[in-house]
Amino acid sequence: MNDKKAELDISSFCSREIPCSCGRRHFCPIREVVVEKGALSSLPALTAGFGHILLAADTNTWAVCGEAVSAILGSSVQAKLVFSRKGQLVPDERAVDELESMVTADTDLILGIGSGVINDLCKYVSWKRGLDCGIVATAPSMDGYASSGAAMIVGGMKVTYTTHPPRFILADVDIVKNAPLDMIRAGYGDIIGKYSSLNDWRLSRLMRGEYFCPEIHDLVFEVTNNVRDLAERIAERDDEAIAYLTKALILIGITLSLVGSTRPGSGSEHHLSHFFEITSLLEDKPHFCHGIDVAYAAVVTAELRERIAALKEPEFCPEPETDRVAAWQRIYGRIAGEVRDLQAKAGSYLRDMTDAYRENWDDVKAILADCPTADACRTMLTRAGYPLDAFEEMYGRQKIRDAVFYGKDLKDRYSVLWLYYELFSGRKDERQEEV
Ligand SMILES: [Zn+2]
Ligand SMILES: [Zn+2]
């Protein structure tokens, strides 16, 4: 790995093998990333050789730069799909069918114009159909641009498919800096959440012997610190700060490809955010956009870490299985069976880790304590203009408690949430207010 971290030279991580001290040779197949003012003018070069390009956008993102992209690509555009929905576009079966039905035998590139959902849909459909895809980013709102994961909603469940990263990512700073402020704050929040995900990665190395790359860990940590330091400038849409945030989001997505897992970018805070997204879909209620949920959730996971790290010795008090199953039914309703099946398959509830926790307690506490405190996280959010009360106003205390104890069950992934559940879920004072 090189040490050009400060400048965020993304191209040095793309399309070449990187020998690493972790013993692996890292590789990310993305060919080009262009983040600068006026980047749209690079489109002809990035799409050279493609003559039947399918454009995909939603009504909002098309309005941002759809016509401009279309005009630049001219006769290379085969067709366009502009998703139109009453509320938010959801990457579900219906959206997949709509996009896939536009693909013909001639289509050679799917070019998404948008952010999270458009990017996921284009990655997924292009991968399914054996096509390349590219993305013109419209907002610095999340770190998924470069990752190979496509987060889809299938049968009401969030399912992340391992697909392929886009061939290229283009972010014109003049465009992304004018994204809605909430989306810019969301991108900042997705990055601030990395303190939590990196901590979970370290914990999973200790407790589950999971693969860990210290260089990628340190790179993401440094980038996260740099973004934190730019909080005010990001909220003011400062060119340089927005460019750095956008590059940081793309680079962290690349690190997921480099290590072949989501560990550097997603941990307990993301499991909580997925919980809010899924339960809101189930209940037909609103939720914050991804990165904002992640940011608030990172404050919650920081609280859990502090609470655990304050324990001299671990005293485990998990709730009885019957209570857990009842809670799943109450919370997950029609998808409770899928949650139960997922956990039965994962087998995490059958694994007794209590002795391992006791043996490693000092190390566990040292890792958990080596993470920004909840107060420090709150300050990071306030500096970027987050209203701190909005989180509890949106979800209420009960749902936040449910997320803490049962959000982990939507995933087959170890994090601090499992330890917290083992310690506190059976304590009377911790139990959710029964409905
Ligand atoms: Zn490595
Ligand atoms: Zn995220």
Side-chain angles (χ1 to χ4, degrees):
M1 307 273 299
N2 63 35
D3 28 50
K4 289 187 178 172
K5 291 169 185 173
E7 301 107 78
L8 273 198
D9 176 13
I10 297 184
S11 60
S12 65
F13 296 95
C14 292
S15 256
R16 64 183 192 87
E17 276 206 354
I18 306 166
C20 184
S21 65
C22 73
R24 292 194 181 178
R25 298 177 76 80
H26 299 302
F27 182 76
C28 173
I30 295 175
R31 303 202 181 191
E32 281 199 75
V33 175
V34 183
V35 181
E36 58 194 22
K37 285 169 79 70
L40 270 193
S41 62
S42 304
L43 256 184
L46 293 172
T47 56
F50 295 102
H52 297 84
I53 301 172
L54 171 58
L55 302 181
D58 63 33
T59 42
N60 294 323
T61 62
W62 184 262
V64 171
C65 62
E67 294 300 341
V69 168
S70 190
I72 289 170
L73 295 177
S75 61
S76 301
V77 176
Q78 177 192 32
K80 68 170 192 200
L81 170 63
V82 181
F83 287 99
S84 169
R85 295 284 188 274
K86 270 208 182 108
Q88 280 177 329
L89 174 64
V90 176
D92 58 6
E93 296 91 335
R94 178 183 160 206
V96 167
D97 287 348
E98 255 179 274
L99 181 55
E100 216 181 338
S101 70
M102 303 283 290
V103 175
T104 72
D106 289 334
T107 309
D108 49 14
L109 180 75
I110 300 182
L111 180 58
I113 301 165
S115 58
V117 176
I118 289 291
N119 184 47
D120 284 331
L121 281 167
C122 290
K123 274 192 286 194
Y124 179 73
V125 172
S126 62
W127 168 75
K128 197 175 166 200
R129 298 298 292 262
L131 293 166
D132 271 314
C133 77
I135 185 88
V136 175
T138 53
S141 53
M142 48 92 226
D143 68 3
Y145 286 116
S147 75
S148 55
M152 312 295 287
I153 304 291
V154 181
M157 285 280 277
K158 192 175 178 95
V159 182
T160 302
Y161 291 96
T162 302
T163 64
H164 57 187
R167 182 186 172 92
F168 63 84
I169 302 163
L170 182 154
D172 191 325
V173 174
D174 292 327
I175 291 173
V176 294
K177 75 179 233 193
N178 288 312
L181 199 51
D182 254 9
M183 297 190 83
I184 293 173
R185 285 200 187 111
Y188 172 85
D190 208 9
I191 300 269
I192 291 307
K194 306 316 175 203
Y195 289 118
S196 171
S197 41
L198 292 174
N199 196 269
D200 280 323
W201 196 13
R202 291 167 64 194
L203 187 67
S204 71
R205 169 177 62 169
L206 174 69
M207 295 311 304
R208 290 279 183 103
E210 274 190 39
Y211 160 74
F212 181 85
C213 172
E215 298 209 26
I216 298 281
H217 171 279
D218 292 355
L219 171 66
V220 174
F221 191 76
E222 181 179 337
V223 167
T224 302
N225 284 338
N226 292 344
V227 168
R228 175 201 60 197
D229 293 343
L230 290 170
E232 291 85 359
R233 289 176 61 194
I234 287 169
E236 287 162 7
R237 304 176 188 271
D238 169 87
D239 279 350
E240 258 178 33
I242 294 289
Y244 191 92
L245 170 65
T246 308
K247 286 183 187 175
L249 289 163
I250 294 170
L251 179 61
I252 290 174
I254 287 174
T255 67
L256 311 188
S257 290
L258 295 178
V259 301
S261 92
T262 58
R263 278 296 183 194
S266 166
S268 48
E269 75 300 329
H270 272 70
H271 303 166
L272 299 188
S273 82
H274 293 165
F275 176 91
F276 295 121
E277 186 184 342
I278 290 296
T279 53
S280 300
L281 275 173
L282 283 169
E283 297 160 17
D284 203 17
K285 285 185 179 162
H287 62 89
F288 291 114
C289 70
H290 171 77
I292 299 225
D293 266 338
V294 167
Y296 287 127
V299 177
V300 175
T301 61
E303 281 169 353
L304 307 185
R305 289 188 182 93
E306 280 182 70
R307 183 156 187 206
I308 298 170
L311 299 174
K312 224 177 166 72
E313 294 295 331
E315 274 182 52
F316 297 99
C317 188
E319 68 183 347
E321 188 183 347
T322 46
D323 288 3
R324 180 171 74 239
V325 172
W328 284 345
Q329 196 56 49
R330 170 176 62 82
I331 296 161
Y332 292 121
R334 65 183 167 84
I335 65 165
E338 282 170 78
V339 172
R340 192 187 56 227
D341 292 350
L342 173 69
Q343 290 308 325
K345 199 171 148 211
S348 299
Y349 282 105
L350 301 174
R351 188 195 282 244
D352 183 353
M353 292 178 66
T354 50
D355 285 345
Y357 283 130
R358 285 192 188 95
E359 279 161 28
N360 293 287
W361 193 242
D362 286 342
D363 292 336
V364 168
K365 289 205 306 179
I367 289 174
L368 299 182
D370 188 21
C371 196
T373 62
D375 271 344
C377 292
R378 284 187 197 98
T379 302
M380 292 177 210
L381 300 198
T382 309
R383 286 178 51 208
Y386 279 65
L388 292 178
D389 296 343
F391 182 55
E392 209 174 298
E393 278 166 20
M394 175 71 100
Y395 298 123
R397 294 178 69 87
Q398 161 105 37
K399 193 163 185 172
I400 296 168
R401 261 198 300 256
D402 284 344
V404 164
F405 286 131
Y406 307 107
K408 69 191 190 323
D409 300 323
L410 289 168
K411 297 270 169 185
D412 170 14
R413 189 57 70 95
Y414 177 76
S415 74
V416 70
L417 296 175
W418 284 92
L419 172 54
Y420 192 82
Y421 181 87
E422 287 289 310
L423 290 166
F424 294 109
S425 63
R427 297 194 188 190
K428 268 219 155 63
D429 51 335
E430 289 302 317
R431 300 293 301 282
Q432 67 280 359
E433 292 145 11
E434 299 295 345
V435 176

